[in-house]
Amino acid sequence: MDIQVGNIIKLKKQHPCGNFEWEVLRVGADFRLKCMGCGHQIMVPRKSIEKNIRGIR
């Protein structure tokens, strides 16, 4: 899967703020994602993201 910095991705599960979309800030063994709703940032393993992604905008 070709995910690059700056992409907006939609995940299967929603964030507690109610948003499904995340901006990719860092790509590597882990991804740094920023919630498009509340701005919260998280680090998630690549395997987890590739399994739970719905689409790339």
Side-chain angles (χ1 to χ4, degrees), residues 28-39:
D30 294 322
F31 281 74
R32 177 173 292 279
L33 302 176
K34 177 180 165 187
C35 179
M36 296 302 289
C38 65

Side-chain angles (χ1 to χ4, degrees), residues 13-20 22 35 37-38 40 42:
K13 290 189 176 184
Q14 82 185 117
H15 190 247
C17 74
N19 196 11
F20 288 92
W22 297 81
C35 179
C38 65
H40 184 76
I42 59 172

